[in-house]
Amino acid sequence: MVQILEKILKNPIYNETDQRLIQKAFNFAELAHRGQRRLSGEDYISHPLYAAYFLSQLGMDATTIAACLLHDTLEDTNIKPDDIKRDFGQEVLFLVEGVTKLGKIEYSPSQPNQKTAFENIRSLKKMFFAMAEDIRVILIKLADRYHNMETLKYRDKEAQKRIALETLEIYAPIAARLGMGKLKGQLEDTAFPYVYPEEYAWLMKNVKGKYADRMEYIERTRPILKHYLTEANISVLDLHARAKHYYSLYQKIKDHSMDAEKVFDLVAMRIIVPDIKSCYEALGVIHKHYRPFPGLIKDYIALPKPNGYQSLHTTIFCEKGKIVEIQIRTPDMHEHAENGIAAHWAYSESGKKIFKANLKETEWVNQLKEFLQDMKPREGITKLKIDFFKNRIFAFTPKGDVKDLPEGATPIDFAYAIHTDLGHSMNGAKINGKIVPLNRKLKNGDVVDIIKSKNMKPSNDWLRIVKTTEAKKKIRSWFAEEEKKKSELEKLSKKSGDEKITARKEKKKKIAIVSGPKGTPVIQGQTGLMYKIAKCCNPKVGNKIKGYMTVNQGVSIHSVDCSNIKKVSGKDKRILSVDWSLRSK
Ligand code: MN
C-alpha cells in the first residue's frame, strides 16, 4: 500500500504543497479507518487509496485526490464534517460531502415498484445535482465505483448482480457521456460477466480465438504500414493495435446476427500523428496503398461526435485482402478519447491547476438537471436512459444545422427537435436526398429534410415510432388540444344546429360561382373535373346541358334534349347539373 501512495506522490504533476496535502489526507483517512477491513481481507484504506491512484493517473488535481482519500470517512467512521473543514478546508469538505450525499444508490430495476422507482430517481437526482455543482464529485464517484468493481468478486451473488447492473446502466453511460472512453470500457467489461454470464461465456468460446488471430495479423502488418507512412514523410508518433472491449463487441455482434466475421473492428489499428494536417495526409497514403471500404470513411475531426470524440476512421482491404479498421488521430484527440472530461485540466499561469470543462459536457449536465427537475418519480428511469444515457448521434438540416439525438431516433424526432409545428405538419422525410419511411433510424451525419404539408396531422402511430420524450410529449399535447377543440365544437353545434345548416347552404352557393375558362363545363359548381362531350348529341357551348357520371371516363356531357339522357331518371344520383363557364380565360 505504501507503494501505491508513493506512486501517487511521485507523479510529476504534483508540487510540494500538493504532496503535503495528499500525504496529510492519507494519514487522516488511514487513522479514521484503522481496524476496518474490506471483504477482500485488506485494510479498508486500500479502497480509497486505489481510487485516488486511479484519479491521479487521470491527472486530477491534489484537492480531488485528497477528497477521494477521505470519501468514505463521513459515512463509515466517527469523523465529522467540521473535522474535515478544520484540517482540509471548505473545498475538500464540499467534495467529500458531495460524494457522501450520493450515498449508496439503491438501484434495483428488477423490481420496479413504486418505492424503488422513487428511490432510484431521488438518488439519481442527487447525483446529477451534485455533478452540476462540481463535476469532480462524479469523477470521485466513478473512481470509487471502478475500485468496487475490481473487488466485486468478494461480494455475495445478489450484490454482485445488482452492483454490476447499476454499473452497466448508470455509471458506464455517465463515463461515456463525459468522454471517458477507457473507463467506460473497463467498467463495462468488469460488469459484463456478472450481469450476462451466459452471453459472456458464449463470447469467450466463440470470439476469443479470433481476437488472438487478428492481434497477430495486425502485429505482422504494422511495420508495412509504418514503412508506407514514413516513406511519405509523415512522422508517426505511435502505431498500435486496439482490441475492442468485450462488452461493446458483444453489443455489436448482437447487431450483426451473432456473426463475428461481420464485425470489422474486432481489432483496429491506431495511428497517432503530430497534427491535423498529418491525419489527412496519413489517410491519403493509406488509401493510396489499400482500397477503402465504401461508406465507412468517417471524418470525426471535421464533425466530432456529440461527446467531443475526434478521429479519422477508415476501413480498408489490407494485406492479404483482410478488412481492417484504421483510426488516425493526434495525441490530444487520443487523450480526449480515452479520458474525456478528465483530460481538460490545464495549468494556469500561477502553476495551480484549473478546471476547464468542455462546454458540451457542462451543457449536458445542466440539461439533465432540468430534465430531472420536472420528472415525476413514478415515470421511472426508462425515459432518462433513452434521452440521456443512450449513445447520441447527430444529424443535419439541409442548411447544415446540427441536431444531437439519442441513437434510434427517427425523422419524426428530428422534426420535433427543430420545431413543434414542423413535427405536427410533417408529411415525409428525405435522408441524404432519398425519401425514407418515417420509422427509419437516423445515422450519424445524415442530412434530414422534412417534407411538410399544410393538411397533415400527427398520427397516433407516431407515438410508437418516436424515441425522444420531447417528441412524445408534443404529439400527446397535440391530441389533447384536438380533443378539447372537438368537445367545444360539439357543444357549439348542439346550441346552434340551425345556424350550421344555413352556413352549409351558403357554402354551396359560393361553390356555384366557381368557373373555369370560357367554354368548359362547370359540373355541380366545380371545374377541373374529368369530362367528355357525348358523341350521341354533341352539345355546343351555349346549349343547355346535363352531366352523367360514368364509371371510368369522368362526366359525360349531354344536351338536355338528348334521348339517351332522358332515359335516365332525373332522381338518379349519377345525373349532375352542368353549366358552361362564361368567364373568359
Ligand atoms: Mn467508497
Side-chain angles (χ1 to χ4, degrees), residues 44 47 71-72 144 148:
Y44 195 90
H47 165 65
H71 84 265
D72 277 332
D144 173 46
N148 282 336

Side-chain angles (χ1 to χ4, degrees), residues 125-171:
K125 269 191 190 182
K126 273 198 242 163
M127 173 146 68
F128 295 114
F129 276 63
M131 252 168 101
E133 286 221 37
D134 192 326
I135 203 92
R136 292 178 297 179
V137 171
I138 195 65
L139 292 175
I140 297 171
K141 191 70 195 168
L142 286 169
D144 173 46
R145 177 52 54 117
Y146 171 71
H147 185 252
N148 282 336
M149 287 306 293
E150 294 287 298
T151 51
L152 198 60
K153 56 174 178 271
Y154 301 106
R155 304 289 301 264
D156 63 69
K157 272 227 151 68
E158 192 273 329
Q160 283 176 345
K161 182 131 192 191
R162 177 176 53 80
I163 294 169
L165 188 61
E166 183 184 272
T167 300
L168 272 191
E169 301 213 322
I170 306 286
Y171 291 97

Side-chain angles (χ1 to χ4, degrees), residues 50-64:
Y50 276 108
Y53 175 57
F54 174 83
L55 289 175
S56 73
Q57 285 188 306
L58 288 178
M60 300 299 293
D61 65 333
T63 310
T64 313

Side-chain angles (χ1 to χ4, degrees), residues 205-232:
K205 192 170 158 240
N206 293 284
V207 182
K208 216 177 173 183
K210 286 198 182 79
Y211 251 138
D213 292 349
R214 296 291 282 164
M215 236 13 190
E216 203 195 314
Y217 167 81
I218 298 272
E219 283 309 317
R220 274 185 279 123
T221 315
R222 219 159 66 134
I224 309 174
L225 255 76
K226 189 155 186 187
H227 168 76
Y228 286 144
L229 291 165
T230 31
E231 192 184 54

Side-chain angles (χ1 to χ4, degrees), residues 9 59 94 104 341 445 485:
L9 293 171
F94 175 82
K104 300 189 170 60
I341 198 163
K485 270 192 217 155

Side-chain angles (χ1 to χ4, degrees), residues 334-352:
H334 185 58
E335 173 67 10
H336 183 95
E338 299 271 282
N339 298 326
I341 198 163
H344 302 307
W345 288 90
Y347 285 101
S348 71
E349 279 163 24
S350 61
K352 194 178 185 286

